[in-house]
Amino acid sequence: MEQLLQAMLSPIFSDYRCRIGMKVIAADSTNNSDAWWTGARPRVHQRGIMAAPALSVRSGSAGSLGNSPTSAAGRLPPGGGGGSGGPELDFRSAARMEDLNRLIQEFSKHDQREYDDQRALEIHTAKDFIFSMLGMVQKLDQKLPVANEYLLLSGGVREGVVDMDLDELSVYARGTDYDMDFTLLVPALKLHDRNQPVTLDMRHSALGHSWLSLRLFDEGTINKWKDCCTIVDHISGTTNYFFSPTLVADWFYQSISLVLLEVQKKPQRGMPRVEKVERNGTIISVILGVGSSRMLYDIVPVVSFKGWPAVAQSWLMENHFWDGKITEEEVISGFYLVPACSYKGRKDNEWRLSFARSEVQLKKCISSSLMQAYQACKAIIIKLLSRPKAISPYHLRSIMLWACDRLPANYLSQDDFSAHFLLGLIDDLQHCLVNKMCPNYFIPQCNMLEHLSDETAMLHARKLSSVRSDPTEHLRTTIEHAKAANRLTVELQWRGSSNNLPSPQSDAGGDHQPDDRLAKKLQQLVTENPGKSISVFINPDDVTRPHFRIDDKFF
């Protein structure tokens, strides 16, 4: 009998040993590309604790799942609650996971608008108008580079696509004020010489911010931009010109306003209607009407660099979720200085480091189910945490990137785990608020919540606690807001068509064939690349052809 029992149990124990011995290990990248400002840099991966939300284990370890704040909402064994055959439940709220997944899918359906040929053509018409306008701005005083590289991001600044201060932004609402929103980063200065080291003056700035001396540029550039600089006289008698984000924004707003005024004096058939031009801090917001569509462009003057800043070099030494999926060269191809000041810095001199170009690349490595959860969570917090303004969608984006590093790829790729991811993002954000700690993903030593008062942090943490207690109800409310915005858009489109508002297709003249082909091509791009960011290269002297790139596809 004893031998019979051993024979029966041996396969079971063997299978158990195999399963507990399994471990997900991210393969280290062997990419040893040189850092252009330091010479050869061997890539050393260090596994350790980093100051980030719940980062007890670095990327790729299966054991890290147990340390995640989302682990309480993990998948139950087959059959649901303890083998009873019941549904899988969220421990905190008792919400059914399948119900939450269904609501997230419904929100995504209403949040992601489908574009027909006419709408795609209107989007293209607005984009070309913006680029033509910037070409005219360049010709005013030759300050902007002649051949410039713009980064066009799907979603406005209010959507958290770049790390900007929300306190100075006017409140615009989708459906009421616009139908689609974009952020356009326009380099006022470019330093793209890989053989020239970038020296950022961070002596007077908070971490993650910098002053920019024009000593890095040639004499002609200094002469062009002197009127947009603050002047500091050194004790040695030399004069240093520091590029001022507020003065650059002043110049940019005045130039855009002047160009648009001239354009509107000589309107052309099919030209977009300029419904609003407004300066919000250092951002210029333009709302265009094309046919029945209204598009918001948040235009941001930036300084563009190739390479990678030394302050973020240690981040490259860590393991990351994108290792082996995209190359290091794609991730560190460049960075920006955006006109955003720290809470204690000098607004006239201080710029903020932005890694928007890298984030476009990293987005390709994030699963669709996690992105859906992120979009739903973002929609909830934008409404819930709007007063007082302390948390922006960019904080949530950073938390999501940290989660990608912390959790195994096979867990994050689960198609039916959107509910788990949503609850986990809420947990992580609440954890950050309670501890007043949200590290910047690229500069972990920079705490983006350091300035918060205890009172504000706890107020928002309590609001998130209410969401966590009843995520189903908050998702339903968010869905209703998305439906209402879409209804407003449809109603305005119907009014526009009944009033015979001009559209680029109706005003194009006799030959519609090129426009039809373009509209179909754009519709295909939008359909195949939902929510992706677009990088644009265009010569302001030649706006007759579209030049744009969606992730790594060129058109």
Side-chain angles (χ1 to χ4, degrees), residues 29-36 41 43 194 306-308 315-316 322-323 326-335 357-358 361 364 549:
S29 171
T30 56
N31 188 343
N32 293 322
S33 61
D34 293 346
W36 61 272
R41 175 184 58 76
R43 188 166 187 194
R194 285 184 174 270
K306 289 291 187 184
W308 199 248
W315 175 80
L316 293 175
W322 48 267
D323 290 336
I326 53 177
T327 65
E328 188 173 278
E329 284 80 4
E330 291 176 284
V331 175
I332 64 170
S333 60
F335 67 100
R357 185 192 296 267
S358 302
Q361 298 296 329
K364 295 187 291 186
R549 174 172 67 92

Side-chain angles (χ1 to χ4, degrees), residues 165-460:
D165 300 320
L166 299 180
D167 288 337
E168 298 179 324
L169 293 178
S170 297
V171 178
Y172 296 150
R174 186 186 299 275
T176 304
D177 301 299
Y178 63 91
D179 306 316
M180 290 153 288
D181 53 342
F182 303 93
T183 297
L184 185 63
L185 304 188
V186 179
L189 288 175
K190 297 193 303 181
L191 194 60
H192 286 185
D193 185 359
R194 285 184 174 270
N195 297 317
Q196 181 177 352
V198 176
T199 305
L200 298 176
D201 191 343
M202 299 182 173
R203 296 171 298 171
H204 315 289
S205 306
L207 196 57
H209 297 76
S210 178
W211 292 20
L212 180 66
S213 171
L214 288 193
R215 286 180 178 177
L216 298 172
F217 300 88
D218 57 76
E219 196 65 32
T221 300
I222 294 175
N223 290 331
K224 281 182 186 179
W225 287 104
K226 273 184 179 180
D227 57 341
C228 291
C229 292
T230 58
I231 301 174
V232 177
D233 293 322
H234 195 265
I235 192 172
S236 63
T238 59
T239 300
N240 202 349
Y241 295 93
F242 287 98
F243 207 42
S244 169
T246 53
L247 294 178
V248 170
D250 286 341
W251 165 82
F252 207 31
Y253 175 68
Q254 292 167 6
S255 299
I256 287 177
S257 300
L258 180 61
V259 165
L260 290 178
L261 186 62
E262 289 299 315
V263 167
Q264 288 174 303
K265 287 180 180 178
K266 301 176 181 178
Q268 299 179 2
R269 298 185 66 190
M271 187 179 74
R273 308 179 303 278
V274 181
E275 298 188 355
K276 183 174 292 186
V277 182
E278 186 174 81
R279 179 177 171 184
N280 292 286
T282 52
I283 299 168
I284 293 85
S285 297
V286 179
I287 296 181
L288 299 177
V290 187
S292 58
S293 302
R294 296 160 302 157
M295 279 155 272
L296 167 64
Y297 273 84
D298 283 328
I299 305 175
V300 186
V302 300
V303 182
S304 175
F305 296 92
K306 289 291 187 184
W308 199 248
V311 69
Q313 185 180 4
S314 61
W315 175 80
L316 293 175
M317 303 302 178
E318 295 289 333
N319 283 346
H320 297 290
F321 70 98
W322 48 267
D323 290 336
K325 299 176 183 177
I326 53 177
T327 65
E328 188 173 278
E329 284 80 4
E330 291 176 284
V331 175
I332 64 170
S333 60
F335 67 100
Y336 298 100
L337 294 182
V338 297
C341 181
S342 65
Y343 285 84
K344 294 182 179 180
R346 286 181 53 178
K347 288 190 174 183
D348 290 343
N349 282 10
E350 196 170 84
W351 299 76
R352 179 175 295 158
L353 273 74
S354 171
F355 301 91
R357 185 192 296 267
S358 302
E359 290 165 1
V360 169
Q361 298 296 329
L362 298 185
K363 190 177 178 182
K364 295 187 291 186
C365 304
I366 299 176
S367 69
S368 59
S369 53
L370 178 56
M371 283 303 303
Q372 287 179 347
Y374 163 75
Q375 295 292 349
C377 188
K378 181 175 70 173
I380 291 172
I381 70 166
I382 285 178
K383 297 283 191 303
L384 185 72
L385 307 183
S386 59
R387 292 289 184 272
K389 289 183 178 178
I391 295 294
S392 76
Y394 191 82
H395 292 101
L396 187 65
R397 177 188 288 246
S398 299
I399 288 171
M400 177 180 65
L401 292 173
W402 281 120
C404 289
D405 271 359
R406 181 175 73 245
L407 295 164
N410 61 346
Y411 172 77
L412 293 174
S413 62
Q414 295 287 334
D415 290 336
D416 58 345
F417 267 36
S418 293
H420 300 76
F421 302 151
L422 172 67
L423 299 176
L425 289 171
I426 296 171
D427 286 340
D428 271 3
L429 182 55
Q430 190 173 20
H431 172 84
C432 290
L433 284 166
V434 169
N435 292 279
K436 290 201 306 183
M437 172 63 71
C438 183
N440 182 285
Y441 181 67
F442 299 93
I443 310 175
Q445 61 272 32
C446 175
N447 176 14
M448 298 189 294
L449 295 183
E450 186 178 20
H451 64 281
L452 279 191
S453 67
D454 292 343
E455 181 183 5
T456 300
M458 291 310 297
L459 172 64
H460 285 320

Side-chain angles (χ1 to χ4, degrees), residues 526-540:
V526 171
T527 302
E528 294 177 353
N529 303 277
K532 290 190 178 180
S533 300
I534 304 170
S535 178
V536 178
F537 183 87
I538 192 165
N539 185 338

Side-chain angles (χ1 to χ4, degrees), residues 62-105:
S64 63
L65 185 58
N67 296 313
S68 166
T70 63
S71 59
R75 180 182 285 281
L76 296 176
S84 64
E88 183 182 359
L89 303 179
D90 168 39
F91 186 90
R92 175 71 185 89
S93 65
R96 291 162 53 111
M97 287 297 187
E98 59 181 308
D99 289 344
L100 292 177
N101 277 326
R102 178 180 53 79
L103 289 170
I104 293 171
Q105 292 291 333

